[in-house]
Amino acid sequence: MASITYRKAISRVLKETLDNDPRSFMMGEDIGTYEGAYAVTRGFLDKYGPERIKDTPISESVIVGAGIGAAMGGARPIVELMTINFSLLAIDQIVNSAAKLHYMSGGQVTVPLVIRTVSGGGNQLAASHSQSLEGWYAHVPGLFVVAPSTPSDAMGLFRTAYRDPNTVMFIEHSLLYGAKGEVNDDPDFTIPFGKADVKREGEDVTIITYSRMAHVSLGAAKRLSEEGIEAEVVDLRSLRPMDTEAIVESVKKTSRAVVVEEGWKPMGIGAEVSARIMENALEYLDAPVQRVASLDVPMPYARPLEQAVMPDEDRVIEAVHRLF
Amino acid sequence: MASITYRKAISRVLKETLDNDPRSFMMGEDIGTYEGAYAVTRGFLDKYGPERIKDTPISESVIVGAGIGAAMGGARPIVELMTINFSLLAIDQIVNSAAKLHYMSGGQVTVPLVIRTVSGGGNQLAASHSQSLEGWYAHVPGLFVVAPSTPSDAMGLFRTAYRDPNTVMFIEHSLLYGAKGEVNDDPDFTIPFGKADVKREGEDVTIITYSRMAHVSLGAAKRLSEEGIEAEVVDLRSLRPMDTEAIVESVKKTSRAVVVEEGWKPMGIGAEVSARIMENALEYLDAPVQRVASLDVPMPYARPLEQAVMPDEDRVIEAVHRLF
Amino acid sequence: MKVLSKPLMQKSEYMDLLRQMLLIRRFEEKAAEMYMRGKIGGFLHLYIGEEAIAVGSISALQPQDYIVSHYREHGHALARGMEPRKVMAELFGRSGGTSKGKGGSMHLFDASRGFLGGYAIVGGMMPIAVGLGLGAKHLGNNRVTLCFFGDGAVNEGEFHESLNLAALWNLPVVFLCENNGYGMGSPIQDTFAGTDIFRFAPVYGMNTPGQIDGMDVFEVMDATKEAVDHARKGRGPTFIEAKTYRFRGHSMADPMVYRKKTEEEEWRNKGPIIRMKDHMEELGLLDEAEMQALEAEVDEIVQDAVDFADASSVLPHDAIYDDVYA
Amino acid sequence: MKVLSKPLMQKSEYMDLLRQMLLIRRFEEKAAEMYMRGKIGGFLHLYIGEEAIAVGSISALQPQDYIVSHYREHGHALARGMEPRKVMAELFGRSGGTSKGKGGSMHLFDASRGFLGGYAIVGGMMPIAVGLGLGAKHLGNNRVTLCFFGDGAVNEGEFHESLNLAALWNLPVVFLCENNGYGMGSPIQDTFAGTDIFRFAPVYGMNTPGQIDGMDVFEVMDATKEAVDHARKGRGPTFIEAKTYRFRGHSMADPMVYRKKTEEEEWRNKGPIIRMKDHMEELGLLDEAEMQALEAEVDEIVQDAVDFADASSVLPHDAIYDDVYA
Ligand SMILES: Cc1ncc(C[n+]2csc(CCOP(=O)(O)OP(=O)(O)O)c2C)c(N)n1
Ligand SMILES: Cc1ncc(C[n+]2csc(CCOP(=O)(O)OP(=O)(O)O)c2C)c(N)n1
Ligand SMILES: [Mg+2]
Ligand SMILES: [Mg+2]
């Protein structure tokens, strides 16, 4: 067990993959010479050469489409879309091809493709560059969607994603690359899809969250603890499939729940979690499930405004208070 | 008051617009010579000529982008995307430009654009051509999203959409074009955004729905009535903004709710409605809000399978029964 | 078709090409009939008139090669040797279909023959073709990918992203544009600002024979052979524009208001089957009796396909959940 | 720059072009400084080295014309006459900024000057430029749209969809590709299969002067004048490829590992300002004192912009909800 950054963890598991499976290669914008917009692939081009670390044109649709084709043909591409905002230029390929080819072919073809991308705000990149759209992909049957919050989860989930015969959206967060955490050295350490992780135990309220908001929630939980409220923090990790059981189990214990997400509220992850609690644990609730999400606006550029738009510890605490 | 089809109603309100506002024009794939994939623009090219009824190349991104630009410059384009499935090829322009330009410019520019498109399944068009993705657009601040279920609603909402200075996604349903209904002859009859319509009153259960599923729900309500359950059918009509008040008011009266949508369940319209009821009317509920949605699979081609995937009266009734 | 004094191939090879084109023609005619009778649903895009392209080009492939196509792909499927029974059953939405009835007319697949799909999103197959080429290159398995698409697809951005990447990475892909002059009801001159589609190829530094006669099965075969060869030798992609015409509407739902009858007539007279037949007759390779025998043979296959499809059951409802994930 | 024996314009016009380029240069240098001091956040893409393009091309426009650009648009904004104060305040994220601090460096707008945005999605401004042209044509207001984008944007499908539609509908749009040889860290030859971007134009039947020297403000001005004229006369769009170089990194976050120092040096020596200055000196239009006065004038404007920005407040939090809907 060593403590490394989220960036390092992803970098390491990518290298491990490239080392172990000659069918694998990476492609994306500026992952080679530039070494990655978030420096995840630093040193990769030197180590693996341009045939396996492929810098692409700025052509998101063919980047993903070519990943699909290569995967169908037996190669194991790992595609990087620089951010989830740009994935909108490839969303047709993801949704209409990757997610559906297995089904439309009656099971004849598979698309074992991992699409890595970066979600979230917080870098003052303004409205078109600060979105959290992973919920859209999790809407679509045929895809898997994971969004790790820690180095260990990133490694465990990446291995599962890579070994899976389906297309997996692997959602990273730009503000987490520097976050440190312990990782398991076992190269066979994997985390199954659809398994949430209780990142903190507590008896009084359940906070369901994922990705960067898991950290915000843990911060809030710590402060709540000081006032005597013990929050259980359930990190979904996997958005499709979603671990209803873990959510319900925790809510049955605490009778109160808050969902914290960085995206917009309507038709978001929080709505889904709330609806699942409604369906599976209504009778256990002492108060209505609260949703904490970004404000319902395009992201403004100015730092104080941007900070006010995204959920923070204060807003999580406020939501918890509303339950008591 | 005359009874006309949904197709005719939309056709009529489009003509009225073209007749009254010289700034307006239409553009889209095969709306001219071919007279529209769903024959909504039959006779338009002859009547208005190619300068106002513009057949475009199959280039969804520039179709929408050009609509945005023309709207910013003071024209009043009405853009047609043949189906919502193809809107994925234009979604970047819709989400990253149309929805955000007003905000990113600090209020300097506006994008008064109506994007008409067709959602839903039921025509055996299989997985990539049968989706109900309007919830995605309703996720995005900066857009308005409406999805009328009747000729009258279509006319009233279209007028509001056209007169609005923002971008509006106007969602039609291919299986509704032949549906008839009374329409108001007043050319100033409009329906405000964010106003649901109670399509049927009832005391026992609330069915919240929109678009074609409003008809399915009404059918179910009729049958439920025969067994003594009076369902209130709330047609959202507008998905952004969504009429929380109408939902809550009805649920307070009935204490039971089912949400019926044609799209997939996770992060869908039903999730959102359920979460809003959770937040605003939990204490009034006698049973957990139920969601009825398409099965969580890509749409199969074979008719019996397709029919089994989409919600029908039986499934709505079943969901209602679960509440008692 | 070049006027020849003597055959360039074995008679059996001529017969085979003719048989394939005829099979497609009759299959499509039967499909239209079945659609009218409500046996087939959804969209049905017939390939009638364009048979020479599928038959000519696919004959240039080896068994390990890949094909991807658009939604007007019955012809490509049959030319690749996919079983007419299974194809028809797929159109019927039955469990005996190529996708067990889940894909339908627009989504034919036969992985065992490298037929990796009809794609219903215009242009959507092109990035995937690039990927198949990329995968083949990466794995070093020497497979070539043949990618069919229409003239309308040229206006999708993906067309260009695909051409550029294939050329940039020198991938073994043959892009074959079936230019039938229309995208639904829109004539190409109303949607494409240029005059010749193939002229994009040189801008990307891509090999191209230019525009070829898509009604001439030999011209298509030769051009594709060269392109496949080029790809197989590691020299990269080729762009072929084959001029053709669809004799029927865009789909069965097409009201057909946008074309002149004289134009249709003209093209019909240039049809691939009529030309092949005349050509073979001129060369003394085909007589009336042989032609009748061939028709009978083909009709039987098609009728058998319909019988098979009709007898095949629809998948049970619980199979709806299969094949979502592998 | 052509060697001339006598000036082609008034001295004041020369001075004006030089002043504009210098203003952009100094503004950008100051912005870099402010970024390092934490006054500016997000991405900051400097225009240093490319000034001749913005200044030359925009000088060919009339006040009613439109401009759209990418995220590297401070130069275009200033050349259009947008107030440096407001631009700097926008970079600072302040209420005195062009978008009240909501847009930032990548999203400058000034509707009063027809400056309709910096766009942060590569290629995203091109369809919008087509639409502005379409709107102008529809409304008959004779406005021309000038659209800036980089060489990297050429590989986005939207580039082609836009060129095609503009050419097809004969719209008054000037596409100006700022080919600085790189998209982030990727040299164009690693991402574009062709050799010359402008060669797409003739395939679409679009007017083009080909590749011009983007370091020569006059060449840019002349080419754009012709293009704007062409558009204004109803003859349709023009495609201009201007060769240039960015002297700095892609953004302030660029580790700059991918370019040779010698290459950078070479281009710096061809820089637009140095060339203009030399040119004017040769023609006897500029002496040392005038240059110093100009620098002082420009420095003062830039310092004033910083002072203004610094004094401007951030919007109050409740203004977050404004401007979502009109
Ligand atoms: C992205 C997308 N846009 C629109 C459509 C609707 N559509 C189906 S086929 C077609 C015309 C395509 O024409 P072409 O590529 O020339 O092929 P052809 O039908 O002539 O063989 C259109 C517009 C679609 N399926 N996908
Ligand atoms: C759709 C999209 N993909 C990727 C990016 C990330 N990105 C920002 S700028 C850039 C390079 C663009 O290069 P070019 O068009 O040559 O313009 P330059 O920066 O050289 O002026 C990239 C890849 C983006 N903003 N949008
Ligand atoms: Mg065609
Ligand atoms: Mg560049």
Side-chain angles (χ1 to χ4, degrees):
Chain A
M1 285 281 191
S3 180
I4 61 174
T5 62
Y6 188 83
R7 174 183 290 112
K8 185 80 173 264
I10 296 170
S11 192
R12 186 179 291 179
V13 78
L14 287 169
K15 281 191 197 155
E16 168 194 299
T17 305
L18 290 164
D19 288 337
N20 294 340
D21 189 350
R23 297 170 310 168
S24 68
F25 65 89
M26 294 183 63
M27 56 194 279
E29 293 162 15
D30 284 294
I31 63 169
T33 327
Y34 196 87
E35 309 200 294
Y38 295 97
V40 171
T41 50
R42 183 163 293 162
F44 278 44
L45 180 60
D46 280 351
K47 181 153 194 226
Y48 300 103
E51 291 302 318
R52 296 190 71 201
I53 305 300
K54 294 181 167 294
D55 271 329
T56 65
I58 313 174
S59 312
E60 285 78 8
S61 208
V62 79
I63 294 171
V64 170
I68 294 170
M72 255 205 290
R76 297 301 307 270
I78 300 165
V79 160
E80 175 176 316
L81 291 172
M82 200 181 285
T83 80
I84 202 162
N85 307 285
F86 315 148
S87 79
L88 296 188
L89 290 153
I91 199 169
D92 168 69
Q93 285 293 342
I94 300 171
V95 170
N96 282 328
S97 297
K100 297 182 171 45
L101 282 166
H102 189 62
Y103 201 82
M104 295 194 303
S105 68
Q108 292 186 71
V109 306
T110 56
V111 186
L113 173 65
V114 182
I115 301 176
R116 291 176 48 238
T117 192
V118 180
S119 188
N123 290 308
Q124 277 196 266
L125 301 182
S128 68
H129 275 50
S130 306
Q131 296 166 105
S132 302
L133 298 170
E134 50 277 6
W136 284 8
Y137 295 107
H139 182 58
V140 180
L143 297 176
F144 287 128
V145 182
V146 296
S149 69
T150 66
S152 171
D153 287 355
M155 291 184 78
L157 286 168
F158 185 86
R159 290 198 189 97
T160 306
Y162 185 77
R163 294 170 194 189
D164 195 273
N166 301 287
T167 297
V168 182
M169 298 295 294
F170 189 88
I171 314 290
E172 304 170 14
H173 196 296
S174 66
L175 293 189
L176 289 181
Y177 285 121
K180 283 196 157 188
E182 303 262 291
V183 296
N184 193 321
D185 285 330
D186 177 2
D188 276 319
F189 167 71
T190 58
I191 297 171
F193 293 158
K195 276 279 160 221
D197 184 44
V198 176
K199 286 274 182 324
R200 181 187 198 280
E201 296 197 9
E203 303 294 319
D204 304 323
V205 58
T206 302
I207 303 178
I208 301 115
T209 185
Y210 69 97
S211 189
R212 183 169 80 82
M213 287 299 132
H215 298 267
V216 171
S217 300
L218 285 167
K222 205 167 155 201
R223 286 169 52 191
L224 285 163
S225 174
E226 285 161 22
E227 42 172 295
I229 299 174
E230 294 303 334
E232 179 143 306
V233 177
V234 177
D235 181 353
L236 292 170
R237 301 196 293 198
S238 161
L239 302 176
R240 174 178 274 269
M242 196 184 273
D243 192 349
T244 310
E245 208 181 302
I247 298 167
V248 170
E249 200 180 305
S250 177
V251 171
K252 282 185 179 168
K253 182 172 73 172
T254 64
S255 303
R256 292 178 172 84
V258 171
V259 202
V260 185
E261 68 193 313
E262 196 181 317
W264 294 303
K265 196 181 281 184
M267 277 67 75
I269 304 292
E272 181 61 27
V273 171
S274 179
R276 290 188 189 206
I277 296 172
M278 166 74 83
E279 289 154 6
N280 296 285
L282 180 63
E283 65 277 26
Y284 294 89
L285 286 180
D286 282 348
V289 176
Q290 300 295 307
R291 289 185 283 170
V292 179
S294 275
L295 302 184
D296 199 31
V297 301
M299 185 66 88
Y301 161 75
R303 186 158 184 83
L305 306 183
E306 182 186 39
Q307 292 297 320
V309 165
M310 296 183 304
D312 58 11
E313 292 180 11
D314 288 349
R315 282 175 57 206
V316 175
I317 291 169
E318 217 176 89
V320 169
H321 284 163
R322 285 199 297 271
L323 298 175
F324 288 92
Chain B
M1 286 281 190
S3 181
I4 61 174
T5 62
Y6 188 83
R7 174 183 288 110
K8 186 78 172 265
I10 296 170
S11 192
R12 186 180 288 179
V13 77
L14 287 168
K15 281 189 194 156
E16 169 194 300
T17 305
L18 291 164
D19 288 338
N20 294 339
D21 189 349
R23 296 171 310 168
S24 68
F25 64 90
M26 294 183 63
M27 59 195 277
E29 292 162 15
D30 284 293
I31 64 169
T33 327
Y34 197 87
E35 308 199 296
Y38 296 96
V40 171
T41 50
R42 184 162 292 162
F44 279 44
L45 181 61
D46 279 353
K47 182 154 192 225
Y48 300 103
E51 290 303 317
R52 296 190 71 201
I53 305 300
K54 294 182 167 293
D55 271 329
T56 65
I58 313 174
S59 313
E60 286 78 9
S61 207
V62 78
I63 294 171
V64 170
I68 294 170
M72 255 206 289
R76 297 302 307 271
I78 300 164
V79 160
E80 175 176 316
L81 290 173
M82 199 180 283
T83 81
I84 202 164
N85 308 286
F86 314 149
S87 79
L88 296 187
L89 290 154
I91 199 169
D92 168 69
Q93 285 292 342
I94 300 171
V95 169
N96 282 328
S97 297
K100 297 182 172 44
L101 282 166
H102 189 62
Y103 200 82
M104 296 194 302
S105 69
Q108 291 185 74
V109 306
T110 56
V111 186
L113 173 65
V114 182
I115 300 175
R116 291 176 49 237
T117 192
V118 180
S119 188
N123 290 307
Q124 278 196 266
L125 301 182
S128 69
H129 275 49
S130 305
Q131 296 166 105
S132 301
L133 298 169
E134 50 276 6
W136 285 7
Y137 295 107
H139 181 60
V140 181
L143 297 175
F144 287 129
V145 182
V146 297
S149 69
T150 66
S152 171
D153 286 354
M155 291 185 79
L157 286 169
F158 184 86
R159 291 197 189 97
T160 306
Y162 185 77
R163 293 169 195 190
D164 195 274
N166 301 288
T167 296
V168 182
M169 298 295 295
F170 189 88
I171 314 290
E172 305 171 14
H173 196 295
S174 66
L175 293 189
L176 289 180
Y177 285 120
K180 282 196 158 189
E182 304 261 291
V183 297
N184 193 321
D185 285 332
D186 177 1
D188 276 321
F189 166 72
T190 59
I191 296 171
F193 294 158
K195 277 278 161 222
D197 184 42
V198 176
K199 287 272 182 327
R200 181 186 200 280
E201 296 196 8
E203 304 292 319
D204 304 324
V205 59
T206 302
I207 303 178
I208 301 117
T209 185
Y210 69 97
S211 190
R212 182 169 80 83
M213 286 299 131
H215 298 266
V216 170
S217 301
L218 285 167
K222 208 170 153 197
R223 285 169 52 193
L224 285 163
S225 173
E226 287 160 19
E227 41 172 295
I229 298 175
E230 295 302 335
E232 178 143 306
V233 177
V234 178
D235 181 353
L236 292 170
R237 300 196 293 200
S238 161
L239 303 177
R240 175 178 276 269
M242 194 183 275
D243 192 349
T244 311
E245 209 181 301
I247 298 167
V248 170
E249 200 179 306
S250 178
V251 171
K252 282 185 180 170
K253 184 172 73 175
T254 63
S255 303
R256 292 178 172 84
V258 171
V259 202
V260 185
E261 68 193 314
E262 196 181 316
W264 295 301
K265 196 181 280 186
M267 277 68 75
I269 304 291
E272 181 61 26
V273 171
S274 180
R276 290 189 190 206
I277 295 172
M278 166 75 81
E279 288 153 9
N280 296 286
L282 180 62
E283 65 277 25
Y284 294 89
L285 286 180
D286 282 348
V289 176
Q290 300 294 307
R291 290 184 283 170
V292 179
S294 275
L295 302 184
D296 200 31
V297 301
M299 185 67 88
Y301 161 75
R303 188 160 182 79
L305 305 184
E306 181 185 40
Q307 292 298 320
V309 164
M310 296 184 302
D312 59 11
E313 292 180 11
D314 288 349
R315 282 177 55 207
V316 176
I317 290 169
E318 216 177 89
V320 169
H321 285 162
R322 286 200 296 270
L323 298 175
F324 289 92
Chain C
M1 222 162 269
K2 284 168 226 132
V3 181
L4 293 173
S5 49
K6 61 183 175 58
L8 289 171
M9 309 182 301
Q10 300 288 318
K11 173 169 172 170
S12 66
E13 293 173 270
Y14 279 87
M15 285 301 282
D16 192 47
L17 294 172
L18 180 60
R19 182 185 299 107
Q20 286 190 56
M21 292 199 287
L22 205 63
L23 173 64
I24 295 171
R25 177 72 55 97
R26 293 286 175 270
F27 184 95
E28 294 291 64
E29 286 167 351
K30 185 61 84 179
E33 189 190 323
M34 293 298 121
Y35 180 90
M36 298 309 290
R37 286 176 43 195
K39 295 279 186 184
I40 297 174
F43 289 147
L44 182 69
H45 306 91
L46 302 178
Y47 195 64
I48 293 176
E50 311 189 18
E51 296 90 344
I53 299 181
V55 171
S57 64
I58 291 172
S59 72
L61 293 184
Q62 291 181 9
Q64 78 274 20
D65 293 335
Y66 294 127
I67 298 173
V68 290
S69 181
H70 44 173
Y71 46 84
R72 193 183 302 288
E73 89 285 35
H74 309 165
H76 311 122
L78 295 174
R80 185 54 166 177
M82 283 171 64
E83 293 164 56
R85 287 175 150 209
K86 288 193 172 182
V87 175
M88 190 63 85
E90 189 59 32
L91 307 197
F92 275 48
R94 304 300 170 86
S95 59
T98 44
S99 297
K100 303 181 286 191
K102 287 182 169 175
S105 158
M106 304 199 285
H107 305 110
L108 299 176
F109 286 79
D110 185 346
S112 72
R113 292 181 172 86
F115 197 88
L116 298 182
Y119 291 76
I121 299 294
V122 169
M125 76 299 296
M126 299 192 66
I128 289 173
V130 173
L132 287 166
L134 174 60
K137 190 173 177 185
H138 182 72
L139 299 170
N141 59 23
N142 218 11
R143 295 173 195 240
V144 173
T145 298
L146 176 57
C147 175
F148 296 98
F149 53 95
D151 49 293
V154 169
N155 299 319
E156 289 284 11
E158 286 188 320
F159 169 84
H160 288 280
E161 296 190 6
S162 301
L163 257 59
N164 183 49
L165 201 65
L168 186 70
W169 289 351
N170 207 42
L171 302 177
V173 180
V174 179
F175 296 102
L176 206 169
C177 178
E178 303 187 309
N179 180 357
N180 59 17
Y182 292 84
M184 288 187 63
S186 300
I188 184 166
Q189 59 274 20
D190 288 1
T191 57
F192 178 54
T195 47
D196 298 293
I197 295 169
F198 71 84
R199 288 187 58 211
F200 284 119
V203 184
Y204 291 109
M206 190 184 292
N207 183 43
T208 181
Q211 191 186 79
I212 64 169
D213 181 355
M215 292 302 191
D216 180 342
V217 68
F218 301 110
E219 193 166 328
V220 176
M221 188 165 66
D222 290 347
T224 314
K225 265 188 185 149
E226 273 182 43
V228 169
D229 225 53
H230 188 84
R232 190 114 42 211
K233 286 191 182 128
R235 299 202 184 136
T238 296
F239 186 87
I240 302 173
E241 178 188 347
K243 192 76 194 93
T244 184
Y245 199 79
R246 59 167 159 73
F247 292 175
R248 301 293 187 97
H250 168 69
S251 74
M252 292 298 289
D254 184 350
M256 292 275 274
V257 291
Y258 50 85
R259 295 197 310 200
K260 290 218 189 72
K261 290 287 157 240
T262 51
E263 177 184 294
E264 291 180 12
E265 206 46 55
E266 211 172 280
W267 276 98
R268 259 177 231 281
N269 294 335
K270 296 194 268 194
I273 293 179
I274 230 171
R275 276 174 69 181
M276 179 71 170
K277 189 168 152 267
D278 290 354
H279 184 68
M280 285 174 68
E281 280 169 4
E282 270 165 38
L283 289 171
L285 296 170
L286 186 73
D287 62 25
E288 193 61 25
E290 284 170 316
M291 187 65 194
Q292 276 174 11
L294 197 64
E295 303 231 6
E297 181 191 335
V298 162
D299 285 345
E300 197 175 314
I301 295 172
V302 172
Q303 189 54 48
D304 171 71
V306 168
D307 295 342
F308 173 85
D310 231 354
S312 179
S313 60
V314 172
L315 275 184
H317 279 199
D318 52 13
I320 285 173
Y321 289 104
D322 298 340
D323 308 318
V324 180
Y325 295 98
Chain D
M1 223 162 270
K2 286 167 225 135
V3 181
L4 295 171
S5 49
K6 62 183 171 63
L8 290 170
M9 309 182 300
Q10 299 288 319
K11 173 170 172 172
S12 64
E13 293 174 90
Y14 279 89
M15 286 300 284
D16 192 46
L17 294 172
L18 181 59
R19 182 186 298 106
Q20 285 189 55
M21 292 199 288
L22 205 62
L23 173 64
I24 295 171
R25 178 72 53 98
R26 292 287 175 272
F27 184 95
E28 294 291 65
E29 286 166 352
K30 186 60 86 179
E33 190 189 321
M34 293 297 122
Y35 180 90
M36 298 307 292
R37 286 176 44 194
K39 294 281 185 182
I40 297 173
F43 289 148
L44 182 70
H45 306 91
L46 302 178
Y47 195 63
I48 292 176
E50 311 188 19
E51 296 91 343
I53 300 180
V55 172
S57 64
I58 292 173
S59 72
L61 295 184
Q62 292 183 6
Q64 78 274 19
D65 293 335
Y66 293 127
I67 296 172
V68 288
S69 181
H70 45 173
Y71 46 84
R72 192 184 302 288
E73 90 285 34
H74 309 164
H76 311 121
L78 295 173
R80 186 53 167 178
M82 283 170 63
E83 293 164 54
R85 287 176 149 207
K86 288 193 173 181
V87 175
M88 191 63 85
E90 188 60 31
L91 307 197
F92 275 48
R94 305 299 171 86
S95 59
T98 43
S99 297
K100 304 181 286 190
K102 287 181 169 175
S105 158
M106 304 198 287
H107 305 109
L108 299 175
F109 287 80
D110 185 346
S112 72
R113 291 181 172 87
F115 197 89
L116 297 183
Y119 291 76
I121 299 293
V122 169
M125 76 300 297
M126 300 193 67
I128 290 174
V130 172
L132 288 165
L134 174 61
K137 190 173 178 187
H138 183 72
L139 299 169
N141 59 23
N142 217 11
R143 295 173 195 241
V144 173
T145 298
L146 176 56
C147 174
F148 296 98
F149 53 94
D151 48 293
V154 169
N155 299 320
E156 290 282 10
E158 287 188 320
F159 169 85
H160 288 279
E161 296 189 6
S162 301
L163 257 59
N164 183 48
L165 200 65
L168 187 72
W169 290 352
N170 208 41
L171 302 177
V173 180
V174 179
F175 296 101
L176 205 169
C177 178
E178 303 186 311
N179 180 356
N180 59 17
Y182 292 84
M184 288 188 62
S186 300
I188 183 166
Q189 59 274 20
D190 288 1
T191 57
F192 178 54
T195 47
D196 297 294
I197 295 169
F198 71 85
R199 288 185 59 209
F200 284 119
V203 184
Y204 291 110
M206 189 184 293
N207 184 42
T208 181
Q211 191 186 78
I212 64 168
D213 181 354
M215 292 301 192
D216 180 342
V217 68
F218 301 109
E219 193 165 327
V220 176
M221 187 165 65
D222 290 347
T224 314
K225 266 189 185 148
E226 274 182 43
V228 169
D229 225 52
H230 187 84
R232 190 110 49 210
K233 286 190 180 128
R235 299 201 185 136
T238 296
F239 187 87
I240 302 173
E241 178 188 347
K243 192 77 195 90
T244 184
Y245 199 80
R246 59 168 159 72
F247 293 176
R248 300 294 187 97
H250 168 68
S251 74
M252 293 296 290
D254 183 350
M256 291 275 272
V257 291
Y258 51 85
R259 295 196 311 200
K260 289 217 187 74
K261 290 288 156 239
T262 51
E263 178 185 293
E264 291 181 12
E265 205 47 52
E266 211 172 282
W267 277 97
R268 259 178 230 281
N269 294 335
K270 297 194 267 195
I273 293 180
I274 229 170
R275 275 172 71 179
M276 179 71 169
K277 189 168 152 269
D278 289 352
H279 184 70
M280 286 175 68
E281 280 169 3
E282 270 164 36
L283 291 170
L285 296 169
L286 187 75
D287 62 23
E288 193 58 29
E290 283 170 315
M291 188 64 194
Q292 276 175 13
L294 198 64
E295 303 230 6
E297 182 190 335
V298 161
D299 284 344
E300 197 174 315
I301 295 171
V302 171
Q303 189 53 50
D304 171 69
V306 168
D307 294 343
F308 174 85
D310 230 354
S312 179
S313 60
V314 171
L315 275 185
H317 279 200
D318 53 12
I320 284 173
Y321 290 104
D322 298 340
D323 308 317
V324 179
Y325 295 98

